[in-house]
Amino acid sequence: MSALSKGQSWLLHGGLLLIALIFPLVFSSNFAINFGVMALFYAFIGQSWNIAGGFAGQLSFGHVVFFGAGAYASTILQMRFGFNPWLGLPASALAGAVVGFVIAFLSFRAGLKGSYFALITLAFAEVLRIIANSVEITGGGLGMLIPAKPSVANFQFPERIGFYYLILALTVGSIAIALWLKRSRFGAQLAAIRENEDAARALGVNVFREKVKVLMLSGAIGGMGGCFFAQYFLYIDPLVVFGIDKSVEMLLVSMIGGSGTVYGPLIGAVLLAAVGDFTRVLTDVQGLSLVLYGALLLVIIAFLPNGLVDLFKHFGKRGSKLASKENE
């Protein structure tokens, strides 16, 4: 993105948004729209990991803790207390932010970082999974089934295209946050922390405060992803929403697309959704898509350590050079 001028950059953003807006109108089958929904969903929750792990360098193995907290917060409010499902979105964001604050405060106050912090997030996710599996309000191991009552007012769109445009709006919002981080003072402070915490502290950055803030922001996005998941599939249980596979997916889409970049999670998410659908069409082998995705990750680490975004930048630079030569 840095190689583009401001005008070219906004042209790129507008072009991608236009493609996303017309996608379900051109490819109107349920299969295609579901592919679009899942690709954008992975991009959204991947951006949650990317904001903390990519922009701030706070690598997490248990980012699903925010996703699960948001899914249960919104579903419990709806099913146990009769709240309108739409109120689940802000409630899930708040739940994710609160969990992010608790994890950040306890971990960073104790001086945990690197692999120790990554393992702590995984431990928190497992603790919440056990709690959700044990208490009555969450439905225990049986989970919670949301009754199907299709209507926009009930957060259940009669057609999948409604869910598509909702997750598109959420994803656009997360990309806007990533763009802001790239250009804001807060984002510059996070970059300094990512590169060298001691140097950032010496420059006057309040490392503890900024790390708490970014984990709360990341947690809020992850929580909203959990709310959307619950309403899209109308069912959650501890293994589904606190399972390690969701953390792996968040991490993979960011790492493959390009950690610490604006569009990395989106690029990785489209690839993840494509691989998932491709393997489901060709075979019934469970988990094959993650095996293929892991193999792809190894290839990208070997040849494109900064993710697929580097490949697009390379082609963009070549195109700019050719254009300049033609103008000479």
Side-chain angles (χ1 to χ4, degrees), residues 52-117:
F55 285 95
Q58 306 308 305
L59 305 182
S60 164
F61 290 161
H63 229 70
V64 73
V65 67
F66 309 122
F67 179 86
Y72 269 109
S74 60
T75 307
I76 287 172
L77 285 177
Q78 177 186 354
M79 300 299 298
R80 306 296 189 220
F81 300 101
F83 279 66
N84 185 283
W86 283 103
L87 295 177
L89 275 175
S92 61
L94 179 61
V98 169
V99 172
F101 174 80
V102 172
I103 294 175
F105 185 86
L106 295 177
S107 302
F108 299 142
R109 182 63 72 185
L112 299 179
K113 55 184 178 180
S115 58
Y116 295 102
F117 172 72

Side-chain angles (χ1 to χ4, degrees), residues 236-272:
I236 60 171
D237 70 24
L239 190 59
V240 169
V241 299
F242 285 116
I244 188 63
D245 57 317
K246 284 290 180 296
S247 287
V248 171
E249 288 165 357
M250 293 182 197
L251 186 151
L252 283 179
V253 296
S254 294
M255 296 293 290
I256 289 179
S259 178
T261 65
V262 173
Y263 284 108
L266 178 60
I267 295 170
V270 171
L271 192 58
L272 174 62

Side-chain angles (χ1 to χ4, degrees), residues 28-159:
S28 56
S29 69
N30 280 337
F31 178 84
I33 294 175
N34 184 69
F35 169 82
V37 169
M38 296 313 298
L40 290 170
F41 167 73
Y42 288 130
F44 184 68
I45 62 173
Q47 196 70 265
S48 168
W49 187 94
N50 189 44
I51 285 171
F55 285 95
Q58 306 308 305
L59 305 182
S60 164
F61 290 161
H63 229 70
V64 73
V65 67
F66 309 122
F67 179 86
Y72 269 109
S74 60
T75 307
I76 287 172
L77 285 177
Q78 177 186 354
M79 300 299 298
R80 306 296 189 220
F81 300 101
F83 279 66
N84 185 283
W86 283 103
L87 295 177
L89 275 175
S92 61
L94 179 61
V98 169
V99 172
F101 174 80
V102 172
I103 294 175
F105 185 86
L106 295 177
S107 302
F108 299 142
R109 182 63 72 185
L112 299 179
K113 55 184 178 180
S115 58
Y116 295 102
F117 172 72
L119 291 173
I120 277 293
T121 60
L122 187 61
F124 267 99
E126 184 63 13
V127 167
L128 287 190
R129 185 192 68 79
I130 292 171
I131 292 174
N133 200 52
S134 306
V135 297
E136 185 178 347
I137 195 171
T138 63
L142 295 176
M144 302 180 74
L145 181 66
I146 301 174
K149 299 176 181 178
S151 74
V152 175
N154 202 38
F155 206 148
Q156 295 180 22
F157 299 94
E159 302 291 338

